[in-house]
Every structure is written in structure tokens, then in C-alpha cells.
Amino acid sequence: MSNLTINADRLLRRIDELGSIGRDTQGRLVRVAASDMDRLGRDRLVGWLQEAGLEVAVDRIGNIFGIWQNDATAGQLPVMLGSHIDTVIDAGIYDGCYGVLSALEAIESLKEAGFAPARPLVVAAFTNEEGVRYSPDMMGSLVFAGGIGVDEALAAVGTDGSVLGKELERIGYAGRHQPGFLKPQAYVELHVEQGPVLEREGIAIGAVENLQGISWQRITIEGQANHAGTTPMSMRRDAGVAAARVIGFLADRAGASPTPTVATVGTIAFEPNAINVIPSRATFTVDLRDPDETHLREEEAALAALLDDLAAGAGVTVQAESLARFEPVTFDAGIVSLIEEIAGAAGLSCRRITSGAGHDAQMIARIAPSAMIFVPSRGGISHNPAEFTAAGELVAGANILLGVAARLAVD
């Protein structure tokens, strides 16, 4: 079985086909969670799972599983491979989808080759990883791992006022299984890097050893609206200026940090939002990430201290609301080493790497040994139609996933 490879044409064809499903009238890929577009993608995935002879199961949060088991593997904990197929708005075709379809391809290729696993193999497609329509992101895997209750998640209200549970029912993916009904022996997720490191260094495979912690906050600064021409600078309570100080502070601090800290202000809104009126309110989001929990807490504390200083000295009031908080994840050392071993045996360059983005693997790591495999992303671009990974790189990553899965399924 050492020379076993995937069916490259089948994998690439499916990636392209799924990437064509869920386009709006502008041609944008908008397969956001539990939407009509998502239903179309789910239906096609389920069709492929069934064509491969896998047992299809859906849990209450809408996670889809394709299960390969037989009498010999019954009762054994499964090896789970997967990711997600929901997208952001105006997405590329690889993020998440590549991992799910490569998982299917790996299992299908093993079946066709007469491979005899000692435990079941499972494809997983988790609900609402992106978090575009419903919060929090990585919801399906978080619920599956017991991080939040399924009823709480199903009650989530979307950006369009919809309720997730009702939408899953409407599109036909409110499953009967309780989340977590399949406890994996191990979980492996293949993904495009979504960053520039592998391409820049000319490395074929990333063995992901850890994942950054994430802290999301919404900051609201209240000042006082006043005339832009008649109010002296020294007498202003300018919420806009206060917000700018926070943004500059975050950028300067992260840029000077000796750790891989990153800080992003991705949304901002002023009120009354008029060119000749001093802003009375500034509302913006802060995204802080670091692979070390101690460092992440230090960055959160520094931000909180700055906000206290602003409130004391700038004539404004400040409110900080936590939107999401995930601790950094260290992946299973044995699986990370196995990825390196399989890549080396295939003659592929490999390096250990940190994931800067959140993934379903960080949630499943709470309940099972887990790790990730990365392949290069051209220009480090993702969440964008320009997202691209060359066919040969996609196939190489899927073959590493196949090799890892085969070893985990017999060890």
C-alpha cells in the first residue's frame, strides 16, 4: 500500500464543480451557512458520499458525516478527516472545501484499493465554520466537541434576522444525531495555508503544530457631537480621534512585538457620520491573535489599560464587549511527526508551521488527538476569488492526507 495515490482527476474535478455551486447573480461564491446556496453544496457533497458507498449521517447542528465501516471495524473509534464547505461572501473555491473533498478522495481511494482498515474512516463537513451569517465561527465543530450546547447554537440569530435551527430545518439538514455521537480516535484536517509562508520558502507541505489563540472584541467609544468648525481642538470630546489612537496603538504594539502577535481593526463606524460633525460615537472591532496564551493575555491587558487611559483623559466613555475568545491550540505531536514522516517518504519538503487562522481542528482537538496539513496559497491570498493553489500542490497534499489516514487507521 506504500505506493497508493489518490485519483487526482476526480479530486480536481470535484473541487471545480463544488466551486461552481452557490454563485449569486454577480458570479460571486456566497455559500454561507444554512442558506439556499449552502443546501445546493450540501446536496452535491451528500451525493458524492453516497456514490462512494459511505453511510451518511447528519447531526442536529447540521454537521455531515460520510462513514466507512464494516463488521471488522464495528465498535472501534474512527479516524476522522474533514473541514467545512460553507464560504465567506465572494469566496475562493479552496478554503474548507479542499479539505472535505480530499478526505472523501482519500477514503474512496483506500476503498477502491482494497485497503483493510482496523477502525472506521469518516469524512466530516462541519456547519458554519466561517461565521459569516451566524456567530460564533467554527460553530459546528465547537458544538460537536461540547464547547457550547446544541440548543444554544440552534437559537443563534443571523445577520439577516434568521434563526439557524429554523434554517437548517428549511434546507433539510436538521439531523437527528446528537453532536458528538461519533467520538474520533484522531482527526486530521487538510487545508490551504491562507498565508504566504510555504510559498515564500518553497515548501510543499506544512505540518501544523499549533494554532493561534483568538480574541475578538467590540469597542464602543462615546464622545460628544459638535460643530467641526467652531469647536476648538482642546474642547472636543472626539470619539473618532480616540478610536484612531486605539488603532495606532494596536498596530505599533503588534509591529514591535518579539512574538508573532497580530492585531486587526476590521470594522469601524462613526456616528453621526457626517463630514462636518465631530463623531459622538465610534464602534469598531479588534481581532487579536497569538500562538501563546500568556502573550495573548498580555495584549488584551495592554488594550484594556489603554482604554482606561482614554476614558480618564480624553473626555470619552469606553465600553469593551468580548465577541469570541479561543485559547491557542497545540496539536498532537505524534500526528504532526507522522505528517512529516509521510511527506519525507514521498520526497516532499515539509516544515512545521503555525496556523494564523481558526479551523475546525482546533475544536476537535478538545476531544481527540488532532493536527492539520497545509499546502501553499499563492500570494497568501484567501477569502477572495483570487485564492489559488496549483493542481500539483493540491494533489500532493491529498496524497499526504491519504498516507496519514492509512497509518492512523491501522495503528
Side-chain angles (χ1 to χ4, degrees), residues 22 35 51 60 109 154 203 207 217 248 289 315 343-344 368 387 407:
S35 64
E51 290 169 14
R60 290 181 59 204
S109 293
L154 291 173
I203 303 294
Q217 298 180 55
R289 305 192 188 206
E387 178 181 271
R407 283 281 295 276

Side-chain angles (χ1 to χ4, degrees), residues 187-190 208 331-332 335-336 339 361 365 368-373:
Y187 176 78
V188 184
E189 182 169 352
L190 174 62
V208 186
F331 287 125
D332 183 79
I335 301 178
V336 174
I339 294 166
S370 302
M372 297 187 69
I373 303 166

Side-chain angles (χ1 to χ4, degrees), residues 103-126:
L104 169 58
E105 180 55 45
I107 294 175
E108 195 166 4
S109 293
L110 288 171
K111 284 191 66 182
E112 292 170 348
F115 178 75
R119 58 183 68 255
L121 284 156
V122 177
V123 179
F126 293 106

Side-chain angles (χ1 to χ4, degrees), residues 40-344:
L40 294 175
R42 287 168 172 267
D43 288 350
R44 192 68 196 95
L45 173 62
V46 168
W48 284 325
L49 296 174
Q50 292 171 334
E51 290 169 14
L54 305 184
E55 174 191 345
V56 177
V58 182
D59 68 13
R60 290 181 59 204
I61 198 64
N63 297 325
I64 299 171
F65 304 94
I67 306 166
W68 179 29
Q69 62 182 347
N70 51 39
D71 291 342
T73 62
Q76 298 296 315
L77 296 180
V79 174
M80 185 177 287
L81 318 171
S83 193
H84 63 97
I85 67 166
D86 67 304
T87 74
V88 297
I89 297 170
D90 201 16
I93 69 172
Y94 304 107
D95 179 2
C97 305
Y98 169 54
V100 173
L101 297 179
S102 294
L104 169 58
E105 180 55 45
I107 294 175
E108 195 166 4
S109 293
L110 288 171
K111 284 191 66 182
E112 292 170 348
F115 178 75
R119 58 183 68 255
L121 284 156
V122 177
V123 179
F126 293 106
T127 295
N128 190 42
E129 193 273 351
E130 295 292 4
V132 171
R133 192 181 185 197
Y134 302 100
S135 183
D137 55 350
M138 298 168 284
M139 180 188 283
S141 53
L142 179 62
V143 172
F144 186 83
I148 60 173
V150 62
D151 291 329
E152 177 185 348
L154 291 173
V157 178
T159 55
D160 55 0
S162 64
V163 177
L164 176 58
K166 292 181 179 178
E167 287 293 273
L168 287 172
E169 290 178 5
R170 185 182 66 82
I171 67 171
Y173 283 92
R176 63 181 179 83
H177 294 280
Q178 282 297 122
F181 75 101
L182 280 174
K183 185 181 186 307
Q185 172 74 14
Y187 176 78
V188 184
E189 182 169 352
L190 174 62
H191 210 283
V192 294
E193 182 192 350
Q194 300 180 280
V197 175
L198 295 177
E199 182 191 45
R200 183 183 63 208
E201 297 185 4
I203 303 294
I205 299 295
V208 186
E209 61 180 347
N210 57 7
L211 188 147
Q212 287 186 328
I214 301 174
S215 173
W216 283 1
Q217 298 180 55
R218 179 185 293 115
I219 311 298
T220 302
I221 299 177
E222 300 274 3
Q224 183 179 59
N226 213 333
H227 196 290
T230 63
T231 310
M233 298 300 290
S234 62
M235 298 178 66
R236 297 183 178 208
R237 297 172 55 204
D238 191 330
V241 168
R245 289 177 181 169
V246 176
I247 296 169
F249 170 84
L250 291 170
D252 291 344
R253 184 175 173 87
S257 174
T259 74
T261 304
V262 290
T264 304
V265 173
T267 70
I268 188 166
F270 288 164
E271 295 180 23
N273 200 35
I275 191 171
N276 59 348
V277 180
I278 298 165
S280 60
R281 174 182 292 177
T283 304
F284 56 98
T285 55
V286 175
D287 179 322
L288 291 172
R289 305 192 188 206
D290 196 287
D292 182 275
E293 175 67 13
T294 299
H295 294 157
L296 184 58
R297 289 182 181 274
E298 289 173 354
E299 298 310 307
E300 290 173 317
L303 172 60
L306 174 68
L307 296 178
D308 287 343
D309 289 345
L310 281 175
V316 297
T317 60
V318 181
Q319 179 182 0
E321 174 191 1
S322 177
L323 301 178
R325 181 59 162 82
F326 298 120
E327 292 187 359
V329 173
T330 299
F331 287 125
D332 183 79
I335 301 178
V336 174
S337 294
L338 179 58
I339 294 166
E340 292 177 312
E341 177 187 336
I342 298 296

